[in-house]
Amino acid sequence: AQSVSQHNHHVILSEAASLELGCNYSYGGTVNLFWYVQYPGQHLQLLLKYFSGDPLVKGIKGFEAEFIKSKFSFNLRKPSVQWSDTAEYFCAGPASKAAGNKLTFGGGTRVLVKP
Amino acid sequence: NAGVMQNPRHLVRRRGQEARLRCSPMKGHSHVYWYRQLPEEGLKFMVYLQKENIIDESGMPKERFSAEFPKEGPSILRIQQVVRGDSAAYFCASSPFGGQGSAGANVLTFGAGSRLTVL
């Protein structure tokens, strides 16, 4: 079964700083990877997804992620964060090839952007 | 489009009581997934249902927990005889397709969650 791990549990940074959140997955077959964001008090929202094709995917709100197959990584980036990016970010992928929509989530990274 | 609706948003129960959490999927979605988020942890898969069928319940605790998705009405996650360790946020998600056995996974749309507190 696939596992998804996120490197940082908490990240604190100032507005306009660059953000990179690490995500590694263990599954070696065809992968479909997601980043979800959970703003305080709200539900999970999809930031971006990778199914195939260009390994650099663009998401909403200026976020992007790069799928690097050789490193089993799918790191999330944003060049310049805003206070409103304060949220918890989750990386996710299928539990296995047959799992379909059954996703495995990383432990989440809480990002605090100081004004 | 109302999205995935969960209720109640907050539920407080005493040990030994029952908790019922409801989830109405997005219009046109017939696949429902329940996840649990314990404090300071990520989301853990619990169960996947289609109308009147449990497809995958590998993440459900063996006792006290059950889920259903009847032909009419919302999906219900039921926790009997709750204990303090059941305190968590329970999220429901839905999708239009199951993606079972396919090369790709469809995007899940999540509800706002139901936060259960057991006193």
Side-chain angles (χ1 to χ4, degrees):
Chain A
Q2 170 164 234
S3 65
V4 176
S5 60
Q6 293 180 239
H7 310 311
N8 309 97
H9 294 297
H10 295 91
V11 171
I12 300 174
L13 59 167
S14 300
E15 276 193 313
S18 65
L19 173 71
E20 180 160 359
L21 304 181
C23 172
N24 284 94
Y25 62 93
S26 63
Y27 182 61
T30 302
V31 291
N32 302 284
L33 297 164
F34 307 82
W35 276 97
Y36 281 86
V37 60
Q38 186 178 25
Y39 297 104
Q42 296 187 28
H43 60 282
L44 274 78
Q45 301 173 40
L46 181 69
L47 264 182
L48 48 79
K49 60 184 185 289
Y50 171 77
F51 280 6
S52 64
D54 189 344
L56 183 63
V57 291
K58 305 275 187 193
I60 60 171
K61 305 188 181 188
F63 285 90
E64 64 179 31
E66 186 174 10
F67 170 64
I68 303 180
K69 189 174 182 179
S70 60
K71 295 184 179 180
F72 293 87
S73 70
F74 189 56
N75 291 355
L76 181 72
R77 297 194 293 251
K78 184 169 183 177
S80 176
V81 294
Q82 299 171 310
W83 175 79
S84 57
D85 293 322
T86 293
E88 188 159 16
Y89 294 82
F90 294 93
C91 183
S96 66
K97 181 179 179 180
N101 290 337
K102 176 183 168 182
L103 294 181
T104 294
F105 282 82
T109 300
R110 291 191 181 209
V111 174
L112 173 63
V113 180
K114 297 185 293 184
Chain B
N1 193 337
V4 178
M5 303 302 293
Q6 289 188 248
N7 67 82
R9 290 292 309 276
H10 300 274
L11 182 63
V12 179
R13 286 286 179 265
R14 297 190 180 280
R15 281 180 296 172
Q17 292 184 317
E18 179 179 286
R20 281 186 182 232
L21 309 177
R22 286 175 289 278
C23 169
S24 296
M26 276 189 72
K27 188 175 180 181
H29 288 192
S30 58
H31 299 259
V32 165
Y33 308 79
W34 284 93
Y35 285 81
R36 177 166 63 173
Q37 184 179 28
L38 293 167
E40 302 300 316
E41 294 188 22
L43 282 82
K44 304 293 185 189
F45 169 80
M46 298 183 75
V47 62
Y48 161 37
L49 311 103
Q50 282 181 264
K51 288 282 188 182
E52 301 184 280
N53 281 307
I54 296 175
I55 307 301
D56 183 340
E57 56 181 348
S58 57
M60 287 278 270
K62 295 286 186 273
E63 298 176 345
R64 302 186 298 108
F65 284 71
S66 62
E68 62 177 13
F69 189 16
K71 188 176 180 181
E72 300 291 337
S75 175
I76 295 175
L77 179 67
R78 183 182 176 206
I79 311 171
Q80 295 177 289
Q81 299 175 322
V82 296
V83 301
R84 289 219 174 103
D86 297 332
S87 294
Y90 292 83
F91 289 94
C92 172
S94 71
S95 68
F97 307 106
Q100 285 276 339
S102 64
N106 291 291
V107 176
L108 300 184
T109 301
F110 281 84
S114 292
R115 192 164 295 277
L116 172 65
T117 301
V118 179
L119 302 178

